[in-house]
Amino acid sequence: MTVFEYPQNVGLIAGVDEVGRGPLIGAVVTAAVILDPNKPIVGLADSKKLSEKKRLLLVEAIKINALAWALGRAEPEEIDQLNILQASLLAMQRAVEALPIQPHFVLVDGNKLPKLLMPAQAVVKGDSLVAEISAASILAKVARDQEMAALDQQYPHYGLAQHKGYPTALHLEKLQQYGILPQHRRSFAPVKKCLLQSL
């Protein structure tokens, strides 16, 4: 088991993660969280390894007990303009900037860092190793899933609540059947292909 060694004497630490790099539709959603060392939250883990029920319980615990939390996002138009990596980094930057208390140090999931005003460190598999990043991954995942559920209400025939916008066989079939929605990412290959077919 890998144990993450926290940077020493850096003051307040925020964890940052993103959800939604792979889907064909919707925003990429990020979260930044500064946990309160005096109010540990039991059960934090990579959001992908938790049941939906557990994530919803943890979201409430994080919002109540964290010193600060914030969400960030980059819209489909920004993803198409910048590319998904740059849009994800921009959304991470926005989450950190939106924190009501600014951290002294930021731990970011992955191997790339967004532009930040404070020192930061990228942590590969951070969502499994760092409690602050796990908390951020849970907030971002629940927020994005809720957006997909809302979009599903608007466009029920696309099955968005089921596949959350990921390029599953069902989603690709619905794209072929019904065409693209305004929220689809036009730079992503299956969507681009669908666009070309409709010309």
Side-chain angles (χ1 to χ4, degrees), residues 156-159 171-181 194:
H157 42 298
Y158 279 82
H171 191 180
L172 297 177
E173 186 190 312
K174 301 294 181 189
L175 258 181
Q176 286 299 320
Q177 203 175 345
Y178 299 112
I180 68 168
L181 294 170
C194 204

Side-chain angles (χ1 to χ4, degrees), residues 9-121:
N9 309 318
V10 291
L12 290 176
I13 293 177
V16 181
D17 200 4
E18 53 69 32
V19 170
R21 276 173 69 163
L24 306 176
I25 192 168
V28 60
V29 178
T30 56
V33 181
I34 303 173
L35 292 175
D36 185 341
N38 301 315
K39 296 182 186 171
I41 299 165
V42 178
L44 290 176
D46 173 3
S47 63
K48 295 186 284 295
K49 294 179 181 152
L50 298 166
S51 67
E52 187 176 0
K53 189 178 164 193
K54 187 88 174 104
R55 283 197 298 265
L56 292 171
L57 288 171
L58 282 166
V59 157
E60 291 315 306
I62 294 161
K63 288 180 176 179
I64 293 164
N65 295 302
L67 286 175
W69 64 273
L71 294 171
R73 55 193 297 116
E75 301 301 338
E77 301 76 34
E78 294 178 298
I79 294 167
D80 290 338
Q81 206 179 345
L82 297 169
N83 77 38
I84 186 61
L85 172 62
Q86 293 308 319
S88 301
L89 294 173
L90 177 62
M92 286 180 172
Q93 183 188 333
R94 286 171 175 164
V96 174
E97 286 170 356
L99 283 168
I101 310 168
Q102 284 296 288
H104 303 108
F105 197 91
V106 179
L107 295 170
V108 179
D109 186 56
N111 59 2
K112 298 267 190 305
L113 289 173
K115 290 188 179 81
L116 297 169
L117 297 172
M118 64 290 290
Q121 179 185 340

